[in-house]
Amino acid sequence: MIPFDFEYYKPDTIEEATKLYLDLSNKEKKPLYYGGGTEIISMARTYNVYTEAVIDIKGISECNVQELKNNKLIIGSAVTLTQIAEANLFPLLALTVQRIADHTMQDKITLGGNIAGTIIYREAVLPLLVSNSEAIIASPNGTKQVLLKDIFDKRIKLNCGEFIVNILIDDYFLSLPYCHVKRTKSDKIDYPLITLAALKASNGINIAFSGLCSYPFRSSLIENYLNDPELQNKAKINNAIDNIPGSILTDLSGSADFRKFILQRMLIEVLKKLEG
């Protein structure tokens, strides 16, 4: 049970949702946009989230779309991980989301909710970063289309009243060779020690990581080392590990040194699969 009362709204359009947010904010209701709601529910139970009004975006058609149109794969922010996996329109994304939580939770967690969540892993963003995806962002001032990498720096950077409508992925990326590797402490379904997602594009390997630092990331410097034809694989991997763009996590799942050891073996796997 959520230990407080709140008002519930389910608008039919983007305009209605953003206007509601503005009106409720002016009334100091602390509104929250709601997709799958898994984090809102769990965090509210521990008193880490409080709101007097919830705006459910699942009634907005643009947030529920999953289709190929005009050479783009369009996935709405309210589409669940299960729906993405079953459609399998972007195999790397489908494989990645199948390893997030269990089947019951995958039926509830949405793409937008995972990208914008407070849990540090946000693994669904990895295939989107390596495929140079774009996002449609709604706000009380209208909608805008931006590169996801321009608004995702450790976490999604949204202004007050904004929400993700959908994600756009160029169909060029959908059929590229790919690699997804996830290592957990003890069980297949668990938070990752490290998860990586990689694509072999025309200019080399695109790769992104989760669980290595306290946020997901894609690093052009790491990619430059991995794609350097003058380096042997051992040097590529050592240089990549030496240039992780933040502190490597040490937690109950594993130490920083253990994560480095695991990452080394994962990168060997990626290079073997994508370089042959």
Side-chain angles (χ1 to χ4, degrees):
M1 293 286 291
I2 295 177
F4 52 81
D5 294 329
F6 57 87
E7 299 170 8
Y8 173 82
Y9 301 89
K10 192 174 184 180
D12 297 319
T13 66
I14 294 170
E15 294 76 12
E16 186 184 352
T18 54
K19 184 179 183 302
L20 265 172
Y21 189 98
L22 199 59
D23 292 344
L24 292 165
S25 292
N26 289 335
K27 295 175 183 177
E28 299 184 350
K29 297 282 188 178
K30 300 182 177 67
L32 291 176
Y33 291 117
Y34 173 98
T38 53
E39 278 203 24
I40 292 176
I41 293 169
S42 60
M43 294 187 70
R45 287 171 175 167
T46 57
Y47 298 94
N48 289 315
V49 163
Y50 177 79
T51 180
E52 295 177 18
V54 165
I55 303 170
D56 189 344
I57 64 171
K58 292 195 297 296
I60 301 171
S61 59
E62 292 93 333
C63 295
N64 290 285
V65 68
Q66 187 175 200
E67 64 179 0
L68 287 161
K69 186 177 181 180
N70 299 327
N71 300 317
K72 301 276 188 182
L73 171 59
I74 307 170
I75 308 178
S77 60
V79 175
T80 67
L81 303 189
T82 295
Q83 291 169 324
I84 292 169
E86 289 178 347
N88 197 29
L89 297 173
F90 183 12
L92 177 58
L93 178 60
L95 183 57
T96 301
V97 300
Q98 285 177 49
R99 294 290 309 277
I100 297 173
D102 59 24
H103 292 298
T104 301
M105 294 303 295
Q106 288 166 14
D107 287 339
K108 298 178 178 66
I109 299 170
T110 61
L111 180 62
N114 189 260
I115 294 171
T118 59
I119 295 173
I120 65 171
Y121 304 105
R122 299 187 279 277
E123 293 166 83
V125 80
L126 304 184
L128 307 181
L129 291 175
V130 299
S131 59
N132 299 331
S133 300
E134 298 173 292
I136 303 296
I137 305 298
S139 76
N141 298 319
T143 60
K144 60 183 177 181
Q145 184 171 330
V146 295
L147 283 170
L148 185 61
K149 71 178 181 65
D150 289 342
I151 59 169
F152 193 95
D153 180 16
K154 301 181 181 179
R155 62 175 303 158
I156 199 82
K157 306 293 186 180
L158 296 177
N159 296 319
C160 185
E162 291 184 337
F163 69 91
I164 305 167
V165 178
N166 46 48
I167 298 293
L168 311 177
I169 305 157
D170 193 301
D171 64 2
Y172 161 75
F173 293 96
L174 305 183
S175 57
L176 292 178
Y178 63 89
C179 185
H180 170 269
V181 188
K182 179 171 182 174
R183 297 288 182 264
T184 60
K185 180 181 179 182
S186 59
D187 198 359
K188 182 179 179 181
I189 299 171
D190 197 359
Y191 290 131
L193 268 167
I194 306 172
T195 298
L196 65 78
L199 286 171
K200 180 66 179 292
S202 59
N203 60 339
I205 294 171
N206 299 346
I207 192 165
F209 305 86
S210 172
L212 191 55
C213 301
S214 60
Y215 48 84
F217 68 89
R218 177 184 174 187
S219 165
S220 58
L221 182 57
I222 288 175
E223 289 177 356
N224 289 340
Y225 282 123
L226 294 180
N227 292 309
D228 189 339
E230 301 299 320
L231 295 177
Q232 297 295 318
N233 281 357
K234 183 177 180 180
K236 290 180 179 183
I237 291 168
N238 288 339
N239 286 337
I241 292 173
D242 287 342
N243 286 277
I244 302 300
S247 299
I248 299 176
L249 282 176
T250 290
D251 55 22
L252 292 176
S253 295
S255 67
D257 286 341
F258 183 59
R259 278 183 163 87
K260 283 184 181 180
F261 170 75
I262 294 295
L263 177 60
Q264 182 182 51
R265 303 189 70 82
M266 292 170 75
L267 290 175
I268 291 170
E269 187 173 340
V270 170
L271 292 176
K272 281 185 177 178
K273 181 170 184 179
L274 297 184
E275 289 194 339

